[in-house]
Amino acid sequence: MPKVLIVEDEEPISLLLKYNLEAEGYKVEVCDRGDEAEVRLRESLPDLLLLDWMLPGLSGIELCRRLRMREETQRLPVIMLTARGEEAERIRGLSTGADDYVVKPFSLPELMARVRAILRRASPEVVSSMLRSGDIELDRETHRVRRDTKEIHLGPTEFRLLEFLMTSPGRVFSREQLLDGVWGHDVYVDERTVDVHVGRLRKALNRGKAKDPIRTVRGAGYAFNDQFSMA
């Protein structure tokens, strides 16, 4: 699993990032001080660093500058998170060595896409564009889904829903968690919307006598059944 270190002193943001990154299959560590992060990075290196600009102990911009001076961390992918949106500040962050620059408040789906894009460029071996389970295959790059070599046509929401479930097979997600992970925190829709789209996804996937890969857990939510191909 790709390893991500989040250095962020605002706990709601770090918890949000940690939850969503883990839901996509990343191994995540969190710290809230720049000096603590510098010590951790000397002990072990992640595949990606999500770094806040303003931190106690040592600023993110200074930590990034120091990382680029060390041979071991010169090529470590860094995404800078900051409330500073002015062009001069973005240029300063990128000039210091950040690979990307995301201004708060940010779009979570967009940030997840940037994480995948940077990891694909820096460490293509740790980010797969293909998800496979049983006879289902999902291609993140072409947005195509196949089951038993037959192409399944999904709408964009059903595709994101299947992708989200397949990244954590066996894990049960509540409707609220699916709304956050698939629709995002900035979109306000009823939880029953999840049931509608799960129904559409099932209808598209379960043609003929195909076994249903989506498990309904009464009172809890939905999961991608990692045992469906063995049933």
Side-chain angles (χ1 to χ4, degrees):
M1 294 186 295
K3 179 181 174 183
V4 178
L5 175 62
I6 300 170
V7 189
E8 169 63 66
D9 62 335
E10 294 183 54
E11 187 176 12
I13 294 179
S14 63
L15 289 175
L16 173 69
L17 291 171
K18 184 175 189 294
Y19 170 78
N20 282 277
L21 285 165
E22 287 181 338
E24 289 213 11
Y26 299 100
K27 182 179 180 181
V28 181
E29 292 184 2
V30 177
C31 67
D32 58 6
R33 294 180 59 89
D35 48 359
E36 178 188 343
E38 186 175 31
V39 173
R40 287 199 191 188
L41 289 165
R42 289 186 179 275
E43 295 172 350
S44 65
L45 289 180
D47 296 297
L48 175 71
L49 178 64
L50 286 178
L51 180 62
D52 187 26
W53 182 302
M54 300 297 293
L55 292 166
L58 182 68
S59 72
I61 200 80
E62 175 60 20
L63 176 57
C64 186
R65 187 187 68 80
R66 295 184 184 185
L67 293 174
R68 294 307 183 228
M69 293 176 64
R70 290 177 51 208
E71 183 178 353
E72 299 87 347
T73 53
Q74 276 183 350
R75 298 184 180 278
L76 173 65
V78 177
I79 297 179
M80 188 78 73
L81 305 175
T82 178
R84 299 168 179 257
E86 298 83 1
E87 182 181 10
E89 299 297 343
R90 292 200 301 270
I91 292 172
R92 183 183 172 197
L94 294 170
S95 298
T96 304
D99 297 277
D100 206 347
Y101 189 101
V102 177
V103 179
K104 301 175 185 177
F106 49 79
S107 160
L108 193 59
E110 180 184 354
L111 178 60
M112 295 297 111
R114 292 186 183 217
V115 166
R116 288 194 296 269
I118 286 180
L119 283 172
R120 262 199 307 270
R121 291 197 302 267
S123 306
E125 70 281 0
V126 301
V127 180
S128 174
S129 63
M130 301 294 294
L131 295 176
R132 295 184 180 88
S133 186
D135 57 358
I136 296 177
E137 181 180 272
L138 181 147
D139 190 326
R140 285 168 156 162
E141 291 189 353
T142 64
H143 275 235
R144 288 183 172 177
V145 177
R146 292 182 178 84
R147 183 164 195 184
D148 193 23
T149 71
K150 296 179 180 179
E151 188 160 352
I152 304 294
H153 298 284
L154 299 178
T157 302
E158 285 72 36
F159 181 90
R160 292 196 305 271
L161 179 60
L162 178 61
E163 178 186 18
F164 188 84
L165 291 169
M166 286 184 71
T167 54
S168 300
R171 177 174 174 177
V172 179
F173 292 98
S174 68
R175 290 169 177 82
E176 182 179 1
Q177 289 172 328
L178 289 171
L179 283 173
D180 290 343
V182 177
W183 280 264
H185 289 266
D186 298 328
V187 179
Y188 298 97
V189 292
D190 192 278
E191 288 189 0
R192 287 174 293 182
T193 301
V194 174
D195 300 329
V196 172
H197 286 280
V198 168
R200 290 177 181 173
L201 178 59
R202 277 178 161 149
K203 185 177 180 180
L205 291 175
N206 304 335
R207 301 290 176 85
K209 297 182 179 180
K211 296 188 180 298
D212 189 356
I214 300 175
R215 182 164 59 97
T216 300
V217 182
R218 188 179 298 275
Y222 298 101
F224 188 84
N225 186 2
D226 52 346
Q227 302 295 320
F228 83 94
S229 61
M230 299 166 57

